[in-house]
Amino acid sequence: MLNIMEVHETNKMIEQEKLDVRTITMGISLLDCEGSTVDELCESIYKKITTYAKDLVSTGQAIEREFGIPIVNKRISVTPISLVGARVCKCPEDFVKIIHALDRAACDMGVNFLGGYSALVSKAMTPAERMLIESIPQALAETERVCASVNVGSTKTGIDMDAVRLMGEIVKKTAEATADRDSLGCAKLVVFCNAPDDNPFMAGAFHGVTEGDVVINVGVSGPGVVKKALEAARGESFEVLCETIKKTAFKITRIGQLVAQEASRRLGVPFGIIDLSLAPTPAVGDSVGEILEEIGLEQVGAPGTTAALALLNDQVKKGGIMASSYVGGLSGAFIPVSEDKNMIDAATAGVLTLEKLEAMTCVCSVGLDMIAIPGDTPATTIAGIIADEAAIGMINQKTTAVRLIPVIGKGVGEIAEFGGLLGWAPIMPVNPKGCETFVTRGGRIPAPVHSFKN
């Protein structure tokens, strides 16, 4: 538990520096859900989720009131649905029935999002996995709170380029299916390489098959707290800078640990991991970009940005792992353009480009995240961008992801509005040169030589 001094520090961080616990996510295994028909399976899924998660939101609200710690989201993640529905689903429309059951459960439980409409196809696709992927545009257009993800590569297996090509088409079709909402469906769809089994953050959360029946994972945030701490280190050496970030990350993670333990105890559910990622919001003073500028950049995207982000990411992890025995998920610094005011400003000014963001993903937690691009961007170009990010993850043995939003009917310089935590974003230019011949070759990019460690 926190001591008196930590309580005072915590109150200050909450009241003045926008500290919050970004999410309590309950992971639920659906592997034991049964049904000889799709309708029976949907009912079994709905029943299990609503049984396990019936007290999730009320427990989170009680912890907020009693400890004074804001908990922004209460979420659920489930077993990848391509596995759960493989036996009874015979067409993409069958999987759409399942996502409607998931969405109904999420709405009835009052959670913000439910993740796990997912397929893991880093080596090849089964018929069920292909059907789920093909269902994504309709599924996301017809539901409100369910998020989808597809893992197309890993360091151990290489990159499934057939899946990459298909995901380029699926992203474009999802954009078209939600064109009336600035292609919002794509904000609920992420393409991974090396996806973790225990990520509590959306849109990429799912309950991995290595997990138990039910678990509580917590994602903490606090860019504003780090920014405020660094103000006292202006002009100091890198040694002082790093120590400041580490100590601050430790304090932030301690808050997450407290919330996780309380939620676990009250719900009677095992504690899984703390994801200590710095997750920004569009609000002023809650920006990872602002931290990078406090470190010494004139604006995010300037020379030195990648080095500053690498430093930040590493020190956040070093500080966080001392505060909790179970750190997992993604952990580090997120750089979602639409959800970070300073990133938005830099992208609008043309200082932060797609190519610079790709370079930054080599050293941060995720990848190209919440980036709006012209609606007429070809599906093969989207696939090429996905392949580039997957290659970074595969070679560097880290998680990378792509959440691109081709906003139908809009072009470079226009604005896409997504609302809430998803924010808004300027439409960023994409390299006009094509890669169709590359992404349509078919087959798999093999795993790198350093993957062979058995």
Side-chain angles (χ1 to χ4, degrees):
M1 297 293 287
L2 302 179
N3 61 37
I4 294 298
M5 183 174 293
E6 287 177 313
V7 169
H8 289 310
E9 287 183 339
T10 300
N11 288 336
K12 179 183 176 185
M13 289 189 288
I14 291 169
E15 293 170 4
Q16 301 177 22
E17 298 161 11
K18 301 184 186 298
L19 172 67
D20 59 56
V21 169
R22 189 52 48 88
T23 179
I24 294 178
T25 301
M26 177 179 283
I28 302 172
S29 173
L30 302 182
L31 291 175
D32 59 349
C33 289
E34 298 179 346
S36 57
T37 67
V38 176
D39 290 340
E40 289 177 1
L41 178 62
C42 287
E43 189 57 34
S44 179
I45 288 170
Y46 176 84
K47 183 177 180 180
K48 182 162 188 182
I49 292 172
T50 54
T51 298
Y52 276 58
K54 66 182 187 300
D55 297 323
L56 176 63
V57 171
S58 60
T59 298
Q61 291 170 341
I63 293 171
E64 283 186 278
R65 288 193 301 269
E66 292 175 34
F67 290 87
I69 300 170
I71 302 172
V72 180
N73 290 288
K74 294 82 179 175
R75 298 166 172 169
I76 297 169
S77 64
V78 298
T79 308
I81 293 299
S82 64
L83 303 176
V84 180
R87 188 172 65 85
V88 298
C89 292
K90 307 303 180 185
C91 62
E93 289 71 24
D94 286 343
F95 278 106
V96 174
K97 287 184 179 181
I98 295 178
I99 200 174
H100 278 288
L102 295 172
D103 200 49
R104 182 162 58 96
C107 291
D108 290 350
M109 293 299 95
V111 296
N112 305 91
F113 287 110
L114 184 152
Y117 196 72
S118 307
L120 311 180
V121 294
S122 60
K123 203 168 187 179
M125 290 178 280
T126 65
E129 287 163 340
R130 179 177 283 274
M131 283 189 289
L132 180 137
I133 291 171
E134 290 174 346
S135 77
I136 286 174
Q138 179 185 354
L140 295 183
E142 295 180 359
T143 55
E144 179 185 352
R145 305 190 189 195
V146 182
C147 294
S149 61
V150 179
N151 190 77
V152 298
S154 75
T155 300
K156 281 289 186 183
T157 63
I159 302 170
D160 181 355
M161 288 301 293
D162 292 326
V164 168
R165 176 192 55 77
L166 179 58
M167 285 312 300
E169 297 169 3
I170 293 300
V171 169
K172 192 68 181 284
K173 289 177 181 178
T174 303
E176 292 166 351
T178 53
D180 59 329
R181 289 164 279 168
D182 274 355
S183 301
L184 179 64
C186 294
K188 299 184 290 178
L189 172 60
V190 60
V191 186
F192 273 117
C193 178
N194 289 325
D197 281 359
D198 53 7
N199 166 27
F201 285 101
M202 301 295 166
F206 61 84
H207 188 70
V209 295
T210 62
E211 301 288 311
D213 194 43
V214 62
V215 71
I216 286 291
N217 297 322
V218 168
V220 297
S221 187
V225 180
V226 177
K227 163 65 167 58
K228 192 70 176 179
L230 290 181
E231 289 177 3
R234 288 176 182 170
E236 299 287 353
S237 68
F238 280 109
E239 181 181 359
V240 174
L241 184 74
C242 291
E243 285 298 310
T244 302
I245 296 171
K246 279 195 296 185
K247 290 177 181 177
T248 307
F250 176 87
K251 295 174 186 176
I252 293 170
T253 308
R254 286 274 285 173
I255 305 304
Q257 179 80 4
L258 169 65
V259 169
Q261 289 173 336
E262 276 298 306
S264 173
R265 181 181 65 81
R266 296 183 186 200
L267 291 166
V269 171
F271 162 52
I273 57 94
I274 297 287
D275 185 318
L276 51 97
S277 297
L278 295 179
T281 72
V284 175
D286 201 24
S287 161
V288 171
E290 197 171 3
I291 297 172
L292 299 177
E293 290 168 8
E294 183 62 43
I295 288 174
L297 306 173
E298 183 176 349
Q299 193 167 26
V300 181
T305 296
T306 305
L309 181 59
L311 179 152
L312 173 64
N313 215 46
D314 185 53
Q315 301 310 311
V316 165
K317 291 179 179 180
K318 286 176 178 174
I321 60 176
M322 296 301 293
S324 175
S325 299
Y326 297 102
V327 173
L330 296 164
S331 291
F334 287 179
I335 51 171
V337 173
S338 78
E339 299 172 18
D340 188 306
K341 182 184 182 302
N342 287 56
M343 297 280 183
I344 294 170
D345 292 344
T348 302
V351 176
L352 186 62
T353 64
L354 199 59
E355 288 74 19
K356 185 60 176 177
L357 281 162
E358 183 180 301
M360 293 165 67
T361 64
C362 296
V363 299
C364 78
S365 290
V366 200
L368 297 172
D369 196 15
M370 288 300 292
I371 297 171
I373 59 175
D376 60 0
T377 304
T380 51
T381 296
I382 295 171
I385 296 171
I386 292 170
D388 285 343
E389 274 301 302
I392 290 171
M394 176 184 71
I395 294 296
N396 291 291
Q397 305 177 69
K398 68 185 293 293
T399 301
T400 50
V402 174
R403 192 160 43 148
L404 291 179
I405 306 167
V407 185
I408 304 301
K410 292 189 175 181
V412 174
E414 294 184 81
I415 298 298
E417 294 279 357
F418 307 121
L421 281 176
L422 298 175
W424 61 274
I427 311 297
M428 298 179 69
V430 174
N431 191 315
K433 297 298 182 182
C435 59
E436 182 176 359
T437 302
F438 172 70
V439 300
T440 57
R441 281 181 176 271
R444 178 162 50 98
I445 293 177
V449 66
H450 58 256
S451 69
F452 302 111
K453 293 184 177 180
N454 292 336

